[in-house]
Amino acid sequence: MYKERVRALPQNGSSPTLEEVAKLAGVSRATASRVFTASPKVSPRAKRAVERAAEKLRYVPNRAARTLVTGRTDSIGLVIPEPTAFLFGDPFFPRLVRGISEVLSRRLVQLVLLMPQSAGDETRLEGYLSAGHVDGVLMVSLHGNDPLPDRLHERGTLVVLGGRPGASSAVSYVDVDNVGGARSAVEHLIAMGRRRIATITGPLDMGAGVDRLQGYHDALVKAGLNGDASMHQPGDFGQESGAAAMQALLDRHPDLDAVFCASDVMAAGALDTLRRQRKRVPQDIAVVGFDDSTIATSTAPTLSSVRQPIEEMGREMARLLLAGLDSGTAGGKRVILVTELVVRASSGKGVRE
Amino acid sequence: MYKERVRALPQNGSSPTLEEVAKLAGVSRATASRVFTASPKVSPRAKRAVERAAEKLRYVPNRAARTLVTGRTDSIGLVIPEPTAFLFGDPFFPRLVRGISEVLSRRLVQLVLLMPQSAGDETRLEGYLSAGHVDGVLMVSLHGNDPLPDRLHERGTLVVLGGRPGASSAVSYVDVDNVGGARSAVEHLIAMGRRRIATITGPLDMGAGVDRLQGYHDALVKAGLNGDASMHQPGDFGQESGAAAMQALLDRHPDLDAVFCASDVMAAGALDTLRRQRKRVPQDIAVVGFDDSTIATSTAPTLSSVRQPIEEMGREMARLLLAGLDSGTAGGKRVILVTELVVRASSGKGVRE
DNA sequence: TTGAAAGCGGTACCAG
DNA sequence: CTGGTACCGCTTTCAA
C-alpha cells in the first residue's frame, strides 16, 4: 500500500470541511449540513449564506464521513469476471451497460465497473464489495458456480445477477428466456425442412449455455429428430471458437443441413468456416444465431437470430437493485424477459442441394 | 436517492464492528486494530485470538471508517468518457486495461472503471472523484479540452492522463510518439515509391488525432510532396468512419496511390471501400494503419501498421499514479513511449498499375 | 428554524 | 506489547 501516514486526501493543504463552511457562513455545522442534505427546514437566508461559503471554499462533502453515518455510498458496482479481451470484444456488454446506466443516471447513482482478472483479484474484490464500498452489486457473465454472489448475499450485500445462477441460490436475477428462444430457433429450422441440425453451444458452465442447448434439444425431441452429443460442439461465445466448432461438426457430420449457434459472434465464425468449405448458406446449410446483435446484419448472408432485450435486461437489473435498496429487502426475485426470432437470409428458403 | 434512514449497509442486523471482535477476543479495540493493519507489535497470542474472533464473526473492516481516518481508499478510478458502444468496440481499451490491472493487482489496489455517458454524468463523476472515493484518477480518450482533469488536479486529486491533453496543463501524462510513428509510416510509403498519399485522420479534437496528422504532414513536407487539406479526411477511429472517409478521398482524388489511416480499425474500413471500388491493395493503393491491433493480421491483405505499446502505456500510467501517491507529489510528469512500424502486405512492393 | 452534541467505526498516539 | 482515548468529517436527534 502507499506510504504510511499520508493523512488527508488532497496532497496540498487538506480540503475544506463542513465546519469551515459553517463558520464562514456564520451558522452552525448542523445548519450547513442541512443545506447539503436538502433538508426542508433551513431559512432561505442561511441557505444562501452556506451556498456562497461552500462555493468560495470549493467545498465537496467528504464521502467517507457521510457514508460512515448514513451507511450509503450512492454508488453501485457492476462485476464482470471476464478477461478484458472478451469483455471489450463482446457486443453484449455495451448494450447491458447502456441499459443499466440509463436507470442509474436518473437516480444519481454512480456506476462503477469491476473486472476481476484472476482468483486473487476476485478475493480482493469480495473484500472491496463487502466492506461497504458500494450499496449493491450487479453481476453478469457468471461461470460455473462462482461463489461470489452467494457469499456477498450472505454477508448482507444486495446482489442482482444477469443470467440465472448455476446452482440454486437465493440471489435475485434477471434472465432472458433462453430455452424458449433456442427452441423457437430450432423449430424454425425444422419448419424450413431441415432435419440434420447441429448446435454450437455456449460455455456449458454458464446458464445461458446450458439453457440454449436445452431449448435446442427440446425442439428436436418434440419433432422426433436426432440431436445426440455428436451434434453439439461447445464454444466460448467468441468468433474463433465458432469457426472451430463448425469445423469440428462438419468433420463428424458432413451432411449437416443446419446449425443453431448460441451467439451471433459464433455464428459469424461458423459462416467463415462454411465459406472456406464451399458450403452455401442457406442452400446447403442454414444458420441461426442468438443475440440479434449488430453483427447479424453485416454478415453475408445476413443472419437469422434470436433477439434478446439486453438493454431491458440491464434496466431491469438496475431497477431490481434500487428497489431492494429502497425497501431494504434482500432478494429472491427473478425476472424472465421474452425473446423473439428474427428471420433473415441465413435460414431462408434456399434450394436444397 | 434511496429511502431515507436505511442506516447500516447490511440489510440484516448490521455487520460486526471492530469493537465486537475485540470483545470476543478479549483484547482492546486498539490491539484488534493492530492485527488488521499488520502492525508489528502484537503478541502471537493476541493475534491469534483476534483472528479467530474475526473469522467467527465474519468481520470485514468498514472502509468508510478506515478511509475517514487514513485518507486512503486503496482504489483508483479509470475514467473513459466514451459511449459504451465505442468503449467496448475499440481494441485499444482492453489492452490498456490489462496493463493497468497488472500493476495495480500487485499493489492490491482496486481498479474501478467509470464511463460517463453525458455531461450530467460527468458532473456527477467530478463530485464522486473529488469527494475522496478514489485515491487517484487515470483518464484516457480525452476529447477537446475536457476540463475534468484540470479541475480534479486543482482540487488536489492526483490525475494521470493517457494521451497528451489538448491545451497546456499541469497534469501528468503518458503518451506514445504519435508524430514519430505517423512520420515513419508515411516515410515508408514514400520509400515504396508512393507519391499521392492521403490520410484518414482520427478525431481532430484529440491529441492522437492531431499528432498523427502532424507526423503525416512532416513526412510529406520533408519529401517535397503535396499534402493539402483535400488529402485529409477525418474519422472517429471506428470502422465505418474509415470506410466513409476512404470513399470521400477517392471522390476527390481518384488517382491516390496510398493512404495512411490513424487507426487499424479505420484502415479495415478503408480496405472495405477499396474492395468495393475494385482497387487492388497494395498494387493500386497502399494502406498503412496505426495500432498494430489484432485486426491488422486478419484483414486481406494483412495490414502494415504502426505498433504502439498500449499495455506498457497502461502500466506506465499506473506506475506514475502510484509513485505520485507514494511521494505525495502532484504531477507535471510526462512519459513518451516509442512506436515501431510493422510492414505487412498492404504496403508491400506491389506492381504499380 | 437553529445549535449543541452524540455518535458512525476505525486508527494511531501516548502512557503504562 | 497493550489499553485508553482523541479524533476523522458528517448526519441527526434533542432542546431551545
Side-chain angles (χ1 to χ4, degrees):
Chain A
M1 229 69 21
Y2 321 135
K3 182 190 268 183
E4 294 303 324
R5 318 271 35 258
V6 187
R7 158 132 354 190
L9 298 189
Q11 267 59 35
N12 56 22
S14 66
S15 46
T17 70
L18 186 60
E19 183 80 53
E20 300 173 302
V21 173
K23 188 157 41 158
L24 181 57
V27 299
S28 73
R29 185 156 38 113
T31 297
S33 174
R34 290 189 185 99
V35 172
F36 296 110
T37 52
S39 167
K41 307 272 124 199
V42 209
S43 68
R45 207 168 144 283
K47 181 154 184 250
R48 200 135 348 113
V50 170
E51 282 166 347
R52 292 246 317 267
E55 183 152 13
K56 181 140 180 241
L57 264 32
R58 313 203 62 195
Y59 170 73
V60 179
N62 177 314
R63 295 304 299 228
R66 176 177 279 182
T67 296
L68 186 54
V69 39
T70 62
R72 283 188 286 106
T73 67
D74 296 321
S75 67
I76 73 144
L78 169 60
V79 178
I80 310 184
E82 290 283 358
T84 56
F86 251 77
L87 206 182
F88 288 91
D90 193 317
F92 176 87
F93 298 113
R95 296 180 56 191
L96 184 80
V97 171
R98 193 172 329 130
I100 294 171
S101 294
E102 260 178 44
V103 174
L104 295 187
S105 282
R106 261 199 293 280
R107 290 281 293 253
L108 304 183
V109 172
Q110 177 67 49
L111 176 66
V112 316
L113 179 56
L114 305 156
M115 310 156 284
Q117 298 290 304
S118 64
D121 278 5
E122 197 156 315
T123 302
R124 180 154 38 81
L125 182 57
E126 183 179 345
Y128 180 92
L129 294 172
S130 43
H133 244 299
V134 296
D135 296 343
V137 175
L138 300 176
M139 203 164 164
V140 293
S141 209
L142 253 49
H143 285 266
N145 286 313
D146 193 321
L148 188 54
D150 280 316
R151 300 179 59 153
L152 291 173
H153 179 77
E154 280 167 26
R155 270 223 174 70
T157 304
L158 207 44
V159 181
V160 173
L161 266 28
R164 69 168 179 79
S168 72
S169 162
V171 177
S172 297
Y173 68 81
V174 178
D175 205 353
V176 299
D177 181 11
N178 285 305
V179 176
R183 193 192 309 121
S184 69
V186 176
E187 283 171 348
H188 161 67
L189 289 169
I190 294 170
M192 299 303 279
R194 310 291 168 158
R195 289 298 175 266
R196 295 179 299 285
I197 307 173
T199 183
I200 298 176
T201 76
L204 294 179
D205 63 349
M206 295 181 71
V210 172
D211 291 352
R212 290 172 198 176
L213 173 57
Q214 181 69 52
Y216 157 86
H217 208 260
D218 287 357
L220 289 190
V221 166
K222 206 166 75 177
L225 295 174
N226 168 39
D228 65 40
S230 72
M231 301 286 268
H232 315 164
Q233 184 69 29
D236 62 8
F237 285 142
Q239 183 152 353
E240 278 156 39
S241 79
M246 187 72 251
Q247 188 59 59
L249 288 170
L250 284 176
D251 290 346
R252 291 205 290 269
H253 299 281
D255 61 341
L256 288 179
D257 62 11
V259 61
F260 164 63
C261 306
S263 84
D264 285 350
V265 176
M266 291 198 297
L271 288 176
D272 290 341
T273 294
L274 292 171
R275 192 173 311 118
R276 254 196 306 278
Q277 297 292 328
R278 308 278 173 216
K279 295 276 192 183
R280 294 167 303 162
V281 177
Q283 291 89 334
D284 302 328
I285 296 197
V287 178
V288 177
F290 204 108
D291 278 351
D292 191 33
S293 64
T294 51
I295 200 176
T297 54
S298 65
T299 55
T302 58
L303 196 61
S304 297
S305 186
V306 179
R307 173 177 300 167
Q308 49 173 341
I310 301 178
E311 283 87 352
E312 180 56 25
M313 182 169 171
R315 277 185 230 113
E316 197 53 49
M317 287 172 68
R319 281 190 213 112
L320 228 51
L321 191 68
L322 291 176
L325 255 17
D326 287 343
S327 67
T329 56
K333 301 202 174 58
R334 42 208 64 179
V335 175
I336 308 294
L337 304 173
V338 299
T339 56
E340 172 194 5
L341 180 67
V342 179
V343 177
R344 297 201 181 82
S346 68
S347 66
K349 288 185 161 63
V351 178
R352 307 289 306 288
E353 295 303 286
Chain B
M1 234 64 27
Y2 324 137
K3 179 190 266 179
E4 293 304 323
R5 318 269 37 254
V6 188
R7 158 133 353 191
L9 300 187
Q11 269 57 38
N12 56 25
S14 67
S15 47
T17 69
L18 187 59
E19 184 81 55
E20 300 174 300
V21 172
K23 189 156 42 161
L24 181 58
V27 300
S28 72
R29 185 157 42 116
T31 297
S33 174
R34 290 189 187 100
V35 172
F36 296 109
T37 50
S39 166
K41 307 272 126 200
V42 205
S43 69
R45 205 167 145 282
K47 182 157 184 244
R48 200 137 344 114
V50 170
E51 281 166 349
R52 292 246 317 267
E55 183 153 11
K56 182 141 178 242
L57 265 30
R58 312 203 63 195
Y59 170 74
V60 179
N62 177 314
R63 295 305 299 230
R66 178 178 278 182
T67 296
L68 185 55
V69 41
T70 62
R72 284 188 286 106
T73 66
D74 296 321
S75 67
I76 74 143
L78 169 60
V79 178
I80 310 183
E82 290 284 356
T84 56
F86 251 76
L87 206 183
F88 288 91
D90 194 316
F92 175 86
F93 298 112
R95 297 179 57 189
L96 184 80
V97 171
R98 190 171 330 129
I100 295 171
S101 294
E102 260 177 46
V103 173
L104 295 188
S105 281
R106 262 199 292 281
R107 290 280 294 253
L108 304 183
V109 172
Q110 178 66 51
L111 176 67
V112 316
L113 179 56
L114 304 156
M115 309 157 285
Q117 298 290 304
S118 65
D121 277 5
E122 196 155 317
T123 302
R124 181 154 38 81
L125 182 57
E126 182 179 346
Y128 179 91
L129 295 173
S130 41
H133 244 300
V134 295
D135 296 342
V137 176
L138 300 176
M139 203 166 167
V140 292
S141 210
L142 253 49
H143 285 266
N145 285 315
D146 192 322
L148 188 53
D150 280 316
R151 299 178 60 152
L152 291 173
H153 178 77
E154 280 167 26
R155 270 223 174 68
T157 304
L158 207 44
V159 181
V160 173
L161 265 29
R164 69 167 179 81
S168 71
S169 162
V171 177
S172 296
Y173 68 82
V174 179
D175 204 352
V176 299
D177 180 12
N178 285 305
V179 177
R183 192 191 312 121
S184 68
V186 176
E187 283 171 349
H188 161 66
L189 288 168
I190 294 169
M192 299 302 280
R194 309 293 167 158
R195 288 298 175 267
R196 296 179 297 284
I197 307 173
T199 182
I200 299 177
T201 76
L204 294 179
D205 64 348
M206 295 180 72
V210 172
D211 291 351
R212 289 172 199 178
L213 173 57
Q214 180 69 52
Y216 157 86
H217 207 260
D218 287 357
L220 289 190
V221 166
K222 206 166 72 176
L225 295 174
N226 168 38
D228 66 39
S230 72
M231 300 286 267
H232 314 165
Q233 185 68 29
D236 62 9
F237 285 142
Q239 182 152 356
E240 277 155 40
S241 79
M246 188 71 250
Q247 187 60 59
L249 288 169
L250 284 176
D251 290 347
R252 290 205 290 268
H253 298 281
D255 62 341
L256 288 180
D257 62 10
V259 60
F260 164 62
C261 306
S263 84
D264 285 350
V265 176
M266 292 198 297
L271 288 177
D272 290 341
T273 293
L274 292 172
R275 194 175 308 118
R276 255 196 306 280
Q277 298 292 329
R278 310 277 172 214
K279 297 276 192 182
R280 293 167 304 163
V281 176
Q283 291 88 336
D284 301 329
I285 296 197
V287 178
V288 178
F290 204 109
D291 278 351
D292 191 33
S293 63
T294 52
I295 201 177
T297 54
S298 65
T299 54
T302 57
L303 196 62
S304 297
S305 185
V306 179
R307 173 177 299 167
Q308 49 173 339
I310 302 179
E311 283 87 352
E312 181 56 25
M313 182 170 171
R315 277 184 230 114
E316 197 53 48
M317 287 173 68
R319 280 188 214 115
L320 228 51
L321 190 67
L322 291 176
L325 253 19
D326 287 343
S327 67
T329 56
K333 299 197 175 62
R334 42 207 63 178
V335 174
I336 308 294
L337 304 173
V338 300
T339 56
E340 172 193 5
L341 180 66
V342 179
V343 177
R344 297 202 182 81
S346 68
S347 67
K349 288 186 159 62
V351 179
R352 307 289 306 287
E353 292 303 286

